């Protein structure tokens, strides 16, 4: 039997987010578009792929959803022209001309104004879309890592055009957008003059106990005994990537598992995967300060007022955003918003070894944090 776990394959052994998936479908019906914000390896691509799978069968009469997945990092180059080419080619990918049976052109009308060329091409192809799907078709663009385009585009024109397409263009009722990203996407969707402030933010987080047990059941029908399950959930913090990564190791020799087997699997996982460095890069001074405070408490949790009291004055006003960032990276559990706690012991132990021992920012100096890097710690039990 093939190993049911593969932590590097998007949408493998997908669990959870049932409520979020339904909220997204309801939002599409009502004309809304969304930003999915999560840390690296926190399931953004998996969620988009799951939407791609379930939307064609969604019961939202008279609408007919047409999910179209676009990976920004999979494009040869990122320009406003190639982005609208990708949107157009995905929109018309299943359309054939009625007379010849040939596929319509996958390229929009060439123009020195890519968005206007895209709209002109949509005018031409709309009768064919209506013929195939009925007049209430809705293309749901599932754009993975949209904020990665920021580094390649000279300005925010593409994002402004997308906002127009979704909000006020003559095709606005036929398009929705779900864009995934990390911190930079937050800037694109923030209120005010941000180019995609029409997108509604949804944040990913760790799995619930029930969802984690469902993932466990894919390869271990009988589950684990209470002590081993608690240890597994404590080490991974029920982070979907970490949980599936350890289960992938454990499944290889799954008979008579012990706590030592779990520790060995964790060490093997840490040797093979180096994502924690990338997670740390996404944390600013406030995130590091808040997380450090939590790691230093006896039970790795603290009342929010006490955390605020221990922060340097210039960091206090940023605590809410910092907690949101730590949560969507899956390194804290904020199911009780008044008392956040460390989730994954694996990341916590690694952080204590690799993050700055004495951050200047935590002492009231806003200069950048200096880091020391050490070897991975032995996984905590």
């Amino acid at each position: 039997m093939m190993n049911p776990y593969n932590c590097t394959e998007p949408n493998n052994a997908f669990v959870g987010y049932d409520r979020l998936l339904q909220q997204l479908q309801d939002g599409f019906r009502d004309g809304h578009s969304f930003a999915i914000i999560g840390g690296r390896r926190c399931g953004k691509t998996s969620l988009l792929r799951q939407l791609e799978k379930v939307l064609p069968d969604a019961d939202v009469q008279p609408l007919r959803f047409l999910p179209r997945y676009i990976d920004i990092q999979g494009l040869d180059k990122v320009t406003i022209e190639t982005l609208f080419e990708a949107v157009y080619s995905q929109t018309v990918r299943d359309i054939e001309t009625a007379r010849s049976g040939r596929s319509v052109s996958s390229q929009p009308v060439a123009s020195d104004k890519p968005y206007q060329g895209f709209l002109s091409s949509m005018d031409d192809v709309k009768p064919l879309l209506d013929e195939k799907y009925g007049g209430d078709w809705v293309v749901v663009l599932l754009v993975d890592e949209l904020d990665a385009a920021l580094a390649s585009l000279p300005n925010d024109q593409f994002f402004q055009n997308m906002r127009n397409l979704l909000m006020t263009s003559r095709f606005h009722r036929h398009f929705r957008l779900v864009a995934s990203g990390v911190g930079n996407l937050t800037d694109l969707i923030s209120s005010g003059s941000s180019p995609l402030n029409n997108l509604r933010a949804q944040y990913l987080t760790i799995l619930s106990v029930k969802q984690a047990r469902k993932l466990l059941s894919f390869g271990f029908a009988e589950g684990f005994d209470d002590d081993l399950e608690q240890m597994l959930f404590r080490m991974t913090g029920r982070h979907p990537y970490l949980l599936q990564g350890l289960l992938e190791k454990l499944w290889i020799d799954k008979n008579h598992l012990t706590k030592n087997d779990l520790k060995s699997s964790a060490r093997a996982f840490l040797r093979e995967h180096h994502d924690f460095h990338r997670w740390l890069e996404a944390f600013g001074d406030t995130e590091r300060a808040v997380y450090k405070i939590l790691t230093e408490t006896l039970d790795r949790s603290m009342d929010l007022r006490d955390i605020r009291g221990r922060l340097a004055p210039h960091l206090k006003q940023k605590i809410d955003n910092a907690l949101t960032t730590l949560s969507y990276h899956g390194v804290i559990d904020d199911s009780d918003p008044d008392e956040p706690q460390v989730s994954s012991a694996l990341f916590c132990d690694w952080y204590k070894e690799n993050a700055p021992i004495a951050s200047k920012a935590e002492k009231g100096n806003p200069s950048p944090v200096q880091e020391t890097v050490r070897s991975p710690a032995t996984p905590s039990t």
Side-chain angles (χ1 to χ4, degrees), residues 178-242:
V178 185
S180 78
V182 195
N184 288 334
L185 186 56
T186 304
D187 297 330
L188 283 173
I189 68 171
S190 60
S191 61
S193 59
S194 302
L196 286 175
N197 58 16
N198 60 305
L199 301 189
R200 301 188 172 202
Q202 297 286 346
Y203 298 93
L204 301 186
T205 184
I206 60 175
L207 299 176
S208 68
V209 171
K210 182 178 179 180
Q211 293 163 349
R213 284 175 176 162
K214 183 177 180 180
L215 180 59
L216 179 60
S217 72
F218 289 166
F220 301 88
E222 303 300 321
F224 290 172
D225 64 56
D226 290 345
D227 288 344
L228 191 62
E229 179 186 91
Q230 289 180 19
M231 182 177 174
L232 174 67
F233 291 174
R234 185 167 60 250
M235 291 176 71
T236 62
R238 305 193 303 278
H239 189 294
Y241 172 66
L242 300 181

Side-chain angles (χ1 to χ4, degrees), residues 19 53 59 89 92 145 156 164 180 192 201 207 229 250 270 373:
R19 183 179 180 184
K53 184 184 299 184
D59 184 12
S89 65
V92 304
E145 304 290 354
D156 64 3
N164 177 268
S180 78
L207 299 176
E229 179 186 91
L250 292 169
L270 290 174
V373 179

Side-chain angles (χ1 to χ4, degrees), residues 38-329:
R40 300 187 185 281
R41 302 288 193 179
C42 211
K44 301 185 298 297
T45 301
S46 295
L47 183 68
L48 295 185
R49 287 300 194 182
Q50 188 68 10
L51 279 169
E52 185 180 31
K53 184 184 299 184
V54 303
L55 283 179
D57 298 323
D59 184 12
V60 286
Q61 297 295 331
L63 301 181
R64 183 171 180 182
F65 291 149
L66 308 176
R68 299 292 187 258
Y69 177 80
I70 299 172
D71 183 1
I72 294 296
Q73 297 182 340
L75 300 177
D76 290 337
K77 59 180 179 178
V78 178
T79 65
I80 189 170
E81 291 84 5
T82 59
L83 288 169
F84 274 114
E85 287 173 5
V87 172
Y88 179 76
S89 65
Q90 284 294 309
T91 298
V92 304
R93 70 184 190 192
D94 297 328
I95 297 297
E96 294 181 342
T97 59
R99 290 189 297 274
S100 67
R102 294 183 299 103
S103 297
V104 300
S105 172
S106 61
Q107 301 292 322
V109 173
S111 171
D112 58 352
K113 296 181 178 179
Y115 179 49
Q116 297 305 317
F118 167 80
L119 292 177
S120 177
S121 297
M122 286 301 305
D123 286 331
D124 292 339
V125 80
K126 184 179 182 299
L128 296 175
L129 289 162
D130 291 343
E131 180 181 348
K132 185 175 182 67
Y133 300 115
D136 293 304
W137 55 269
V138 176
V139 170
V140 181
L141 299 169
L142 308 172
V143 184
D144 207 0
E145 304 290 354
L146 178 62
D147 53 349
L150 283 168
S152 301
L153 296 174
N155 52 48
D156 64 3
Q157 186 63 52
F158 172 74
F159 307 110
Q160 296 279 6
N161 291 157
M162 282 301 300
R163 185 179 190 280
N164 177 268
L165 174 64
L166 298 169
M167 297 292 291
T168 59
S169 77
R170 56 187 177 275
F171 292 103
H172 77 274
R173 63 182 292 266
H174 290 294
F175 282 91
R176 310 285 189 272
L177 170 66
V178 185
S180 78
V182 195
N184 288 334
L185 186 56
T186 304
D187 297 330
L188 283 173
I189 68 171
S190 60
S191 61
S193 59
S194 302
L196 286 175
N197 58 16
N198 60 305
L199 301 189
R200 301 188 172 202
Q202 297 286 346
Y203 298 93
L204 301 186
T205 184
I206 60 175
L207 299 176
S208 68
V209 171
K210 182 178 179 180
Q211 293 163 349
R213 284 175 176 162
K214 183 177 180 180
L215 180 59
L216 179 60
S217 72
F218 289 166
F220 301 88
E222 303 300 321
F224 290 172
D225 64 56
D226 290 345
D227 288 344
L228 191 62
E229 179 186 91
Q230 289 180 19
M231 182 177 174
L232 174 67
F233 291 174
R234 185 167 60 250
M235 291 176 71
T236 62
R238 305 193 303 278
H239 189 294
Y241 172 66
L242 300 181
L243 183 56
Q244 188 162 175
L246 265 62
L247 289 173
E248 183 178 5
K249 299 294 184 186
L250 292 169
W251 192 89
I252 296 173
D253 186 14
K254 59 182 179 179
N255 296 320
H256 310 296
L257 292 175
T258 67
K259 291 183 178 180
N260 284 333
D261 294 323
L262 183 51
K263 293 178 183 179
S264 297
S265 295
R267 284 192 289 268
F269 177 85
L270 290 174
R271 285 195 299 269
E272 295 177 10
H273 301 272
H274 306 284
D275 304 281
F276 290 171
H277 289 280
R278 299 291 302 278
W279 295 5
L280 187 59
E281 290 172 2
F283 299 164
D285 290 346
T286 312
E287 286 81 12
R288 297 187 187 205
V290 170
Y291 192 76
K292 185 173 186 292
I293 289 170
L294 289 172
T295 64
E296 292 174 342
T297 61
L298 185 61
D299 58 358
R300 295 178 176 176
S301 67
M302 182 178 285
D303 186 278
L304 184 58
R305 290 173 297 182
D306 294 332
I307 297 175
R308 193 183 302 273
R310 291 185 56 180
L311 285 174
H314 72 283
L315 301 180
K316 293 181 189 291
Q317 62 183 354
K318 303 176 182 178
I319 186 172
D320 290 336
N321 288 337
L323 289 169
T324 298
T325 300
L326 293 170
S327 177
Y328 70 62
H329 274 86

